[in-house]
């Protein structure tokens, strides 16, 4: 199957049918930090992916943060 | 996997709830969690006008969609930060969403209206980009809310954001910030009320909400934020969450119920001596406010080219 990864955007090929949880474990990706999407639909952790599928592993972690360490000494 | 509610095929597992949900009941869960947060923390009263801070990302668009569906009177506010192609695309997602929902989007352009972009502002003011960005957003959201007669500003901070901020503040014992880390900041001293209705949803859920609802959003990380500490804290908390589901929720909500009040004295001390900025009228403890000082230093600064290729190492991927 063809797997689209992001940040940076790239595509890799993975051989064989497998469950989503297996794919993520094989790619060493934390399941808490992504969604697996096929044809615009989320596939659950125990869902099966076919060898011919195109899937996207979409990261869900985002955001900059203006934290105290950046603001130390700065006044409002 | 079966949906906990209807026993139909599930699309998502939420391990901290020890439950799986189909698309229909997942959307209901999201609406229920946002309504619960709004009610639990007295965020928004019926009939109040809400200004939603919209970035074009998953959290702010999910928030706007949820508030509209819950019947709140909301407009969006998009702030163009001048981060090259990233800002152009973010703007399109925000505008497309507003058009689709028939909602009003208020737009401010940092370079066009104030003469600097985030990279230029950061360089001129010797701040990191996230600091110049956060300072600009806070000031301009506050001003837009007060000038526009809105009762409250709503931001898309989710459970992961709050847990990561808490983690960082505890690591460094920033007690004045711990005293202010609450889901509702009351309007006072020239500040509008600010609320975070997504605190009961993780960011995996807000992303899933957008996918299920067919909301297009900018998936790429902001090139300015890549590799920052906040993202590192999120990675660390997610590593804990894998082996101990519910840790992020217990960390944040345990803090709110058991510890937050202990730090309010520190936060109050930090807010003493507020007075209106002589230039713009915003509350400040200094001679002029931080935003006016930033504009004075950065206004008219030449735009700084933004490197859009990520600098954060990609997760290790092993070809099978």
């Amino acid at each position: 199957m063809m797997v689209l990864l992001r940040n940076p955007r790239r595509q890799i090929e993975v051989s064989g049918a497998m469950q989503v949880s297996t794919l993520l474990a094989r790619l060493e990706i934390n399941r808490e930090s992504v969604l697996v999407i096929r044809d615009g639909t989320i596939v659950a952790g125990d869902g099966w992916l076919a060898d011919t599928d195109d899937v996207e592993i979409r990261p869900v972690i985002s955001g900059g943060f203006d934290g105290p360490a950046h603001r130390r000494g700065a006044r409002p | 996997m079966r949906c906990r509610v209807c026993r139909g095929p599930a699309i998502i597992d939420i391990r901290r709830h020890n439950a799986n949900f189909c698309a229909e009941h997942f959307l209901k869960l999201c609406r229920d969690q946002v309504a619960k947060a709004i009610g639990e923390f007295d965020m928004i009263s019926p009939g109040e006008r809400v200004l939603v801070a919209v970035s074009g990302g998953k959290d702010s668009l999910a928030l706007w969609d949820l508030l509209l569906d819950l019947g709140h009177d909301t407009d969006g506010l998009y702030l163009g930060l001048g981060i090259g192609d990233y800002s152009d695309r973010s703007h399109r997602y925000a505008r497309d969403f507003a058009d689709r929902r028939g909602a009003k989007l208020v737009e401010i352009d940092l370079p066009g209206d104030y003469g600097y972009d985030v990279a230029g502002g950061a360089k001129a003011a010797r701040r990191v980009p996230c600091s110049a960005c956060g300072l600009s957003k806070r000031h301009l959201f506050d001003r837009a809310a007060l000038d526009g007669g809105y009762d409250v500003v709503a931001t898309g901070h989710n459970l992961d954001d709050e847990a990561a901020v808490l983690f960082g503040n505890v690591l460094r014992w920033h007690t004045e910030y711990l005293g202010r880390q609450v889901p509702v900041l009351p309007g006072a001293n020239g500040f509008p009320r600010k609320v975070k209705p997504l605190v009961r949803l993780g960011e995996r859920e807000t992303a899933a909400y957008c996918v299920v609802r067919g909301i297009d959003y900018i998936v790429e990380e902001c090139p300015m934020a890549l590799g920052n500490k906040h993202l590192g804290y999120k990675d660390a908390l997610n590593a804990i969450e894998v082996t101990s589901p519910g840790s992020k929720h217990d960390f944040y909500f345990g803090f709110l119920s058991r510890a937050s009040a202990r730090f309010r004295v520190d936060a109050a001390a930090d807010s003493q001596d507020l007075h209106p900025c002589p230039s713009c009228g915003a509350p400040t403890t200094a001679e002029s406010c931080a935003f006016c000082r930033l504009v004075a230093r950065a206004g008219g600064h030449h735009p700084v080219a933004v490197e859009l290729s990520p600098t954060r190492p990609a997760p290790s991927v092993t070809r099978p």
Side-chain angles (χ1 to χ4, degrees):
Chain A
M1 75 188 80
M2 296 306 294
V3 180
L4 172 64
L5 299 157
R6 307 270 198 154
N7 294 328
R9 189 185 177 100
R10 61 212 187 277
Q11 207 164 34
I12 61 168
E13 189 170 355
V14 178
S15 304
M18 66 188 74
Q19 286 184 299
V20 164
S21 54
T22 306
L23 174 66
L24 295 179
R26 193 176 287 188
L27 298 180
E28 298 176 14
I29 292 174
N30 185 332
R31 53 181 287 159
E32 289 295 324
S33 66
V34 295
L35 293 173
V36 175
I37 299 169
R38 177 182 55 201
D39 297 329
T41 302
I42 300 168
V43 189
D46 67 348
W48 279 91
L49 302 168
D51 191 37
T52 52
D53 279 343
D54 286 327
V55 301
E56 174 188 354
I57 298 180
R58 182 179 293 190
V60 299
I61 297 178
S62 64
F65 174 62
D66 170 23
H70 301 153
R71 276 192 262 154
R72 196 175 303 150
R75 299 169 130 194
Chain B
M1 276 184 3
R2 295 280 162 191
C3 173
R4 181 170 76 176
V5 183
C6 67
R7 309 307 301 163
I11 58 150
I12 189 165
D13 58 317
I14 304 180
R15 296 176 72 216
R16 75 173 183 283
H17 291 311
N18 193 25
N20 313 310
F21 295 93
C22 67
E24 178 190 344
H25 290 112
F26 172 68
L27 295 180
K28 183 176 184 309
L29 171 87
C30 292
R31 282 192 287 268
D32 289 349
Q33 291 294 323
V34 169
K36 185 175 179 180
I38 290 171
E40 185 178 3
F41 298 107
D42 291 324
M43 292 184 178
I44 307 167
S45 298
E48 286 191 322
R49 293 184 68 220
V50 184
L51 186 62
V52 184
V54 178
S55 68
K58 66 187 191 311
D59 300 309
S60 59
L61 292 180
L63 172 62
W64 199 3
D65 194 63
L66 284 157
L67 291 179
L68 286 166
D69 282 355
L70 289 170
H72 292 287
D73 178 6
T74 65
D75 292 337
L77 172 62
Y78 175 82
L79 177 60
L81 300 165
I83 308 177
D85 178 56
Y86 181 81
S87 284
D88 296 340
R89 284 186 290 134
S90 304
H91 189 190
R92 273 201 300 277
Y93 286 118
R95 214 170 35 209
D96 288 350
F97 176 86
D99 290 346
R100 210 178 89 177
R101 291 293 317 239
K104 180 183 172 186
L105 183 68
V106 180
E107 300 178 27
I108 299 173
D109 184 58
L110 210 51
D113 298 335
Y114 293 93
Y116 71 95
D117 56 22
V118 162
K123 190 176 175 186
R126 294 183 195 164
R127 289 169 173 262
V128 296
C130 291
S131 170
C133 178
L135 166 61
S136 305
K137 281 180 175 173
R138 282 193 302 278
H139 180 91
L140 293 169
F141 290 158
D142 289 355
R143 176 186 284 186
L146 295 171
D147 290 351
Y150 293 94
D151 299 292
V152 55
V153 175
T155 58
H157 296 93
N158 57 48
L159 174 61
D160 289 77
D161 294 324
E162 293 304 299
V165 170
L166 177 60
F167 189 69
N169 284 338
V170 169
L171 270 184
R172 306 286 178 203
W173 290 115
H174 290 298
T175 54
E176 72 278 25
Y177 291 98
L178 287 169
R180 276 206 294 271
Q181 203 189 335
V182 285
V184 178
L185 280 171
N189 302 321
F191 292 110
R193 188 187 336 144
K194 291 177 197 163
V195 301
K196 300 171 182 173
L198 297 184
V199 288
R200 299 190 66 86
L201 293 177
E203 58 189 341
R204 187 162 168 266
E205 287 126 64
T206 60
Y209 178 88
C210 287
V211 173
V212 174
R213 287 280 291 150
I215 298 170
D216 286 332
Y217 64 90
I218 188 146
V219 174
E220 287 76 20
E221 281 179 15
C222 172
M224 297 288 176
L226 293 163
N228 73 15
K229 278 185 193 167
H230 188 61
L231 292 169
Y233 295 154
K234 285 187 171 182
D235 286 342
L237 288 170
N238 276 336
I240 295 169
E241 188 79 14
V242 166
T243 53
S244 181
S247 293
K248 288 182 286 194
H249 178 278
D250 290 349
F251 181 47
Y252 177 62
F253 284 95
F255 164 75
L256 290 182
S257 63
R258 297 184 199 172
S260 173
R262 296 166 193 252
F263 298 102
R264 284 192 194 137
V265 173
D266 301 81
D270 203 40
S271 301
Q272 282 177 349
D273 304 325
L274 281 172
H275 58 265
C277 170
S279 304
C280 70
T284 181
T285 56
E287 225 170 90
S288 62
C289 76
F291 180 75
C292 284
R293 297 200 304 273
L294 176 64
V295 172
R297 295 174 82 166
H301 196 91
H302 293 295
V304 173
V306 176
E307 175 56 63
L308 287 175
S309 60
T311 53
R312 186 187 191 204
S316 58
V317 170
T318 313
R319 275 175 192 272

